[in-house]
Amino acid sequence: MLARDLEQYLHQQIPLCRAMRVQVAAVDALGVTLSAPLAPNINHHETVFGGSASALAILASWSLIHVRLREADLAARLVIQRNAVEYERPIAGDFSARSALESEEAWPAFAALFSRRGRARLTVLATLEHGGVRAGRFSGQFVALRSER
């Protein structure tokens, strides 16, 4: 899936992406990088609102599994089950989130279980950055449920 196709999908299907002005910076087999400007995500301290940072990390992580499921031609409803975010420093400008599977080796088992049972879980990690410096870390567990297209 191309970055522009994913960005269009996110803006159409998840209105929050449009409001946050999320952009897809990169899509590849190992991860998805999303970015967003400070202005629509600002808080009263003139830094990024924590909810916006968390949302961008969730979206980058969700997008990685979404893209890989599509490439494997597996129709699924993908939902987040649980997550944790560690905020390491304030973000005072445009920011990004880069996702990666917690374990690349987990993907074949996840895909096989999903194909067999119609339900599977996978953990994705994301790094929040501002100005090339890590500003936070995210870990989330996602559940794929069989869906008819």
Side-chain angles (χ1 to χ4, degrees):
M1 177 176 274
L2 298 174
R4 66 184 152 101
D5 296 331
L6 177 58
E7 186 172 316
Q8 181 178 13
Y9 179 86
L10 291 172
H11 284 218
Q12 288 175 348
Q13 300 300 317
I14 305 172
L16 177 64
C17 292
R18 203 171 36 253
M20 289 178 60
R21 296 201 325 232
V22 170
Q23 295 181 314
V24 178
V27 177
D28 58 56
L30 299 178
V32 171
T33 303
L34 302 181
S35 63
L38 174 63
N41 299 290
I42 200 164
N43 66 22
H44 61 291
H45 296 294
E46 298 183 357
T47 59
V48 170
F49 174 62
S52 291
S54 177
L56 195 69
I58 290 169
L59 288 162
S61 300
W62 181 93
S63 292
L64 174 58
I65 302 173
H66 171 77
V67 166
R68 291 184 71 155
L69 284 167
R70 287 215 168 186
E71 289 175 355
D73 199 31
L74 297 172
R77 288 182 319 167
L78 183 59
V79 297
I80 189 163
Q81 184 175 41
R82 70 178 55 92
N83 74 88
V85 181
E86 186 173 327
Y87 302 97
E88 298 172 347
R89 59 182 32 118
I91 301 171
D94 298 350
F95 62 111
S96 66
R98 172 75 179 172
S99 62
L101 296 181
E102 178 180 52
S103 166
E104 188 61 41
E105 293 76 31
W107 180 260
F110 167 83
L113 183 61
F114 179 78
S115 293
R116 194 170 59 254
R117 297 219 174 141
R119 180 181 177 107
R121 287 181 182 79
L122 192 62
T123 299
V124 181
L125 307 176
T127 302
L128 289 161
E129 290 189 0
H130 164 62
V133 176
R134 188 173 81 187
R137 293 180 290 169
F138 165 90
S139 175
Q141 187 174 58
F142 294 82
V143 179
L145 304 165
R146 183 167 289 132
S147 173
E148 300 301 320
R149 283 196 177 139

